[in-house]
Amino acid sequence: AMMRIIWRELLNLCSFEAHLLELSQLADICIIFATEYLYDEAAKIWGTPCNEHGHRQPFVVVAVGKLGANELNLSSDIDLIFTYPEDGATIGSLRKITNQQFFTKIGQQLIKVLSEVTKDGFVYRVDMRLRPHGQSGNLVLNFNAIENYYQYHGRDWERYALIKARVITGGDAASRLYSLLQPFVYRRYLDY
């Protein structure tokens, strides 16, 4: 897929914007496929993560930076933030763990799958430094923790980064996450 995209660009068969969009869409597909696979495999071992009402919780991958803006180029790393809607625990397995533990395991595995160098190379370099609290913070936070972080600790550069944010996985949870982040990204009142 990458060779096809490169040849299209080299032969001038697409615009530069189309080239960046195709590279971004390829990254999205790789992230979606890997996330779905890792989620299903983890659920076989630890059960399905659910909230206190028994509703299945999705793993939400948010793209920021160039990937978030659909402007990925050939040498770009991918900036990601991992989150999930609600706390709870897994059900359906004897090996019960919290949602935080479940999604942290998936996040760690996703980073490894995408960035580990093998004999065939690597898929993408993954940068997690744009997540709340940066490298010193948890790899994965639930929606409430994300909302609290940005409302009380969010800095201007994080507001600018989130303008380009785009949810890649998580389905219906995306609209809820956007509504939680909107007051931070688009403040009602600005300081001098």
Side-chain angles (χ1 to χ4, degrees):
M2 186 69 80
M3 289 304 297
R4 183 190 63 78
I5 293 169
I6 292 169
W7 273 110
R8 276 175 44 90
E9 217 275 325
L10 286 173
L11 296 174
N12 237 358
L13 298 175
C14 66
S15 67
F16 183 66
E17 292 79 14
H19 173 70
L20 297 178
L21 181 61
E22 283 189 358
L23 288 170
S24 300
Q25 289 171 338
L26 177 61
D28 286 0
I29 290 167
C30 292
I31 291 166
I32 291 166
F33 180 79
T35 300
E36 288 175 356
Y37 177 80
L38 293 169
Y39 189 104
D40 292 344
E41 291 301 305
K44 290 176 188 173
I45 300 168
W46 295 294
T48 303
C50 294
N51 65 8
E52 62 183 25
H53 303 293
H55 298 123
R56 180 183 178 276
Q57 298 298 291
F59 183 63
V60 180
V61 177
V62 180
V64 290
K66 290 180 181 177
L67 179 57
N70 283 315
E71 297 172 346
L72 202 64
N73 61 47
L74 288 169
S75 63
S76 295
D77 59 358
I78 54 174
D79 297 297
L80 303 175
I81 297 172
F82 300 150
T83 183
Y84 61 97
E86 297 177 47
D87 276 335
T90 58
I91 60 171
S93 174
L94 296 175
R95 301 175 73 181
K96 186 182 230 185
I97 59 174
T98 66
N99 289 354
Q100 177 74 32
Q101 293 169 315
F102 183 90
F103 291 121
T104 298
K105 288 176 187 299
I106 290 181
Q108 291 167 339
Q109 291 172 348
L110 181 61
I111 292 168
K112 184 178 178 181
V113 164
L114 294 174
S115 63
E116 186 174 59
V117 179
T118 67
K119 64 179 176 62
D120 299 314
F122 65 96
V123 183
Y124 293 101
R125 289 183 314 276
V126 179
D127 188 346
M128 298 298 298
R129 292 177 296 174
L130 296 183
R131 71 182 189 266
H133 301 292
Q135 289 178 309
S136 62
N138 289 335
L139 184 62
V140 184
L141 295 173
N142 66 36
F143 284 6
N144 285 340
I146 293 256
E147 180 183 30
N148 287 337
Y149 170 81
Y150 286 120
Q151 290 297 5
Y152 298 109
H153 305 289
R155 297 172 298 240
D156 286 339
W157 70 264
E158 290 173 303
R159 180 174 288 115
Y160 308 141
L162 288 176
I163 286 174
K164 293 182 175 185
R166 183 171 56 82
V167 175
I168 297 175
T169 68
D172 298 336
S175 60
R176 182 168 163 222
L177 181 60
Y178 285 135
S179 68
L180 293 175
L181 294 177
Q182 188 171 3
F184 171 70
V185 176
Y186 301 102
R187 290 177 57 187
R188 174 175 253 158
Y189 305 106
L190 300 173
D191 350 346
Y192 291 106

